[in-house]
Amino acid sequence: MIEIQKSLVRLERNIYYTRRNVVAVPGIELSCENFKLPKDSVVLLEQVRTLDKRRLKEKIGQVLVCGFQGTEYSEELKTLIEEYKLGNVILFTRNIKDVKQLHDLNMKIHNEIIKNSGVMPFISIDQEGGMVTRIMKEATFFPGNMTISATQNSEYAKKVGEMMGEELRALGINMNLAPSLDVNNNPQN
């Protein structure tokens, strides 16, 4: 039990360090061109309690990334955030109807997690491009890594990554589980 607690403390300090770097500087509003946060949801460094001072339930909620069913903020998601202090979510195709719905859903999730935990959430997606694309409508369909690699121009990879990041950020997504490194060692591929 003591080893588990020591591991949690190390993990918590690492997470707090990571979170501290993505939280706004005092007095500066978190925003991007198409994703403005209401002033009352701005996360200031002095408002964020360190994870060391949190209850175990809150600590566990901050290290979890959970998926959910549906395209709306549901009672299930509300329970996870309010009772279990869920701090992060992952989106799948099943959560997306169109970009307006996705933006509105992300705003709701973002604001509810901040209200209940005081920490900015990671709203994540696996939007790699090519065959691994979760946002199918009203968004740019980016090429996959193998296609970009075939050009043998690393500037294309950089540009696609920047454009993809800007588009996701405008939709309220602040963590993309891409690009992934795949080793193509199968000659039949």
Side-chain angles (χ1 to χ4, degrees):
M1 184 67 170
I2 291 173
E3 286 303 312
I4 293 171
Q5 288 174 332
K6 286 180 183 176
S7 295
L8 257 180
V9 168
R10 279 193 304 274
L11 182 60
E12 291 159 10
R13 287 189 179 130
N14 288 338
I15 290 170
Y16 180 70
Y17 176 76
T18 302
R19 291 284 173 91
R20 191 178 60 206
N21 287 328
V22 296
V23 172
V25 175
I28 296 179
E29 186 173 323
L30 293 173
S31 66
C32 75
E33 198 171 302
N34 296 321
F35 188 66
K36 301 268 186 220
L37 300 177
K39 289 193 185 303
D40 63 345
S41 71
V42 173
V43 182
L44 304 177
L45 288 175
E46 64 264 12
Q47 292 175 334
V48 178
R49 295 179 292 156
T50 64
L51 288 173
D52 289 339
K53 295 179 182 174
R54 294 177 184 253
R55 297 179 323 209
L56 182 60
K57 190 177 196 177
E58 292 175 296
K59 293 174 184 180
I60 292 170
Q62 288 302 302
V63 298
L64 294 177
V65 178
C66 293
F68 58 95
Q69 297 295 323
T71 58
E72 296 178 9
Y73 188 78
S74 64
E75 283 300 314
E76 172 192 43
L77 194 51
K78 181 179 178 182
T79 300
L80 287 171
I81 292 170
E82 291 180 4
E83 289 184 34
Y84 297 98
K85 305 304 178 196
L86 176 67
N88 314 285
V89 297
I90 182 167
L91 301 166
F92 294 99
T93 306
R94 67 178 181 241
N95 305 119
I96 303 165
K97 282 194 296 193
D98 56 54
V99 294
K100 180 174 180 354
Q101 169 271 329
L102 177 59
H103 175 270
D104 293 348
L105 175 64
N106 289 337
M107 277 292 290
K108 180 69 173 171
I109 292 169
H110 185 277
N111 291 335
E112 290 300 315
I113 289 176
I114 286 179
K115 183 172 81 178
N116 283 279
S117 72
V119 179
M120 188 173 93
F122 287 121
I123 299 178
S124 62
I125 196 166
D126 187 11
Q127 184 83 353
E128 296 178 33
M131 293 186 342
V132 184
T133 300
R134 307 290 180 227
I135 306 170
M136 304 298 284
K137 297 178 184 174
E138 304 175 327
T140 308
F141 186 83
F142 291 100
N145 292 336
M146 190 179 283
T147 303
I148 297 169
S149 176
T151 68
Q152 297 186 5
N153 185 337
S154 61
E155 280 301 308
Y156 293 153
K158 180 181 179 198
K159 195 67 178 160
V160 166
E162 287 172 353
M163 291 187 304
M164 190 181 296
E166 287 173 17
E167 191 166 295
L168 292 176
R169 190 171 120 186
L171 294 170
I173 298 167
N174 59 7
M175 181 180 195
N176 189 9
L177 303 173
S180 38
L181 177 64
D182 296 323
V183 178
N184 188 2
N185 62 358
N186 182 348
Q188 296 181 353
N189 276 348

